[in-house]
Amino acid sequence: MAVGIFDSGLGGLTVLKAAQSRLPDVDFLYYADSARAPYGVRDAEDIYQLTKSAVQDMWSKGCDLVILACNTASAAALRRMQEEGLPAGKRVLGVFVPLIEAMTERQWGDNSPPREVAVKHVALFATPATVSSRAFQRELAFRAIGVDVEAQACGGIVDAIEDGDMILAEALVRSHVEALKRKMPEPQAAILGCTHYPLLESCFQDALGADVKVFSQGKLVADSLADYLQRHPHMQGAGAGGYYTTGNPDRVSDRATQFLRRQISFQAA
C-alpha cells in the first residue's frame, strides 16, 4: 500500500521527486496515463472519467491515498469525486490547496474565513482545461479576498515537454508570458499551475522578471503530504511502490529517465 501519485503524463514526476526527498521512508506508486495525455485540451467530463478510472486502478494496486499531481485532473475531477463519495478508507487529494495556502501565508488546515492578503495581482499559468474550470480562483476565494487573478492558458507546453523538445517549450513559455503581461503588466506573483512547468521555472522567472515571486508545486505539495501523513499515518500503508503507464513503457521510461536524471523503469498499467 504505497502512496499514489497520479498524472496524465510525466509532469507529476516533479512532485514525486520532491515527495521522495521529503519522505524517503515512504513508498510511492506513480501512475502516468500517457496513452491519453495531455489532459489539458480535453473537456471536463472526459477528464473526470479518465481520472476516476486511473484512481480506481491505483486503489486496486494497493494505494489508499492518491495525490492528483495533475492540475487539470485536480481542477476538473477532484471535487466531483469527493462529492460523489469515496470508498471507505480511500482518500484523494489535489495540488491546488497547498499552493494557495503558501501564497496566502495560511497554515495547512487553516479553515478560518477568507481575509485580505499581501499579494493582490496574481498570474496563473495553466493548461486550457485548468483555466476554463476556474478551480484555482474558487479555491483561492475560500482563503483570500481582494486578489486579482489573470489566467493564461498555455497551449503546447506540455506536448513539447513530453516530446523532449525543450527549445520549443521555452519559446512557448516566453510567448505565453508576453501574452499574460499584455493583460496584467505588473503581476506580483505567478503560479505555475501545471506540474510540467517547474521544469521550466527558470525560463518563467526570466520572462516575468526578478521582482515576480514564482510559486511551483513540488516542495509545497511534498511538505503538505508530510504533514498529512503525520496526522494520518495509517494512510501511508506499507509495501512496494513502482511506476505504471498506460502508454509504451519503454518510451515513457526513457522520457522519465531524462526528467529525473536517474534510471526509471515503467511497467504497463
Side-chain angles (χ1 to χ4, degrees), residues 63-101:
C63 295
D64 289 342
L65 171 64
V66 174
I67 308 298
L68 299 184
C70 176
N71 284 263
T72 301
S74 291
L78 177 60
R79 183 171 292 273
R80 182 173 168 187
M81 289 182 68
Q82 292 173 335
E83 288 174 348
E84 291 185 355
L86 303 176
K90 306 295 185 185
R91 289 296 305 274
V92 181
L93 302 175
V95 289
F96 277 137
V97 172
L99 191 69
I100 291 171
E101 292 190 330

Side-chain angles (χ1 to χ4, degrees), residues 2-5 10-31 67 69 217-226 229 236 239-244 256-257 259-266:
V3 172
I5 294 183
L10 297 179
L13 291 173
T14 59
V15 173
L16 175 67
K17 181 179 179 180
Q20 288 176 325
S21 177
R22 181 70 173 79
L23 298 161
D25 296 328
V26 174
D27 288 313
F28 290 94
L29 188 154
Y30 186 86
Y31 191 110
I67 308 298
Q217 293 166 313
K219 183 179 183 301
L220 296 173
V221 173
D223 288 344
S224 291
L225 176 59
L229 290 176
Q236 177 177 333
Y243 299 86
Y244 292 86
T257 297
F259 268 48
L260 295 187
R261 293 187 171 89
R262 59 183 172 86
Q263 187 63 45
I264 303 292
S265 296
F266 277 78

Side-chain angles (χ1 to χ4, degrees), residues 98-160:
L99 191 69
I100 291 171
E101 292 190 330
M103 189 190 77
T104 58
E105 299 183 349
R106 293 174 70 114
Q107 294 296 313
W108 176 247
D110 181 350
N111 293 315
S112 60
R115 58 178 180 263
E116 293 274 354
V117 295
V119 176
K120 299 296 185 185
H121 304 288
V122 176
L124 169 64
F125 297 95
T127 66
T130 297
V131 169
S132 64
S133 74
R134 295 189 60 81
F136 177 85
Q137 289 90 327
R138 182 180 65 237
E139 294 291 347
L140 179 63
F142 291 146
R143 295 162 179 83
I145 56 177
V147 181
D148 179 24
V149 178
E150 189 63 61
Q152 176 65 29
C154 298
I157 294 179
V158 171
D159 290 304

Side-chain angles (χ1 to χ4, degrees), residues 189-202:
I191 303 297
L192 304 188
C194 173
T195 48
H196 286 73
Y197 297 174
L199 295 166
L200 296 161
E201 183 172 349
S202 62

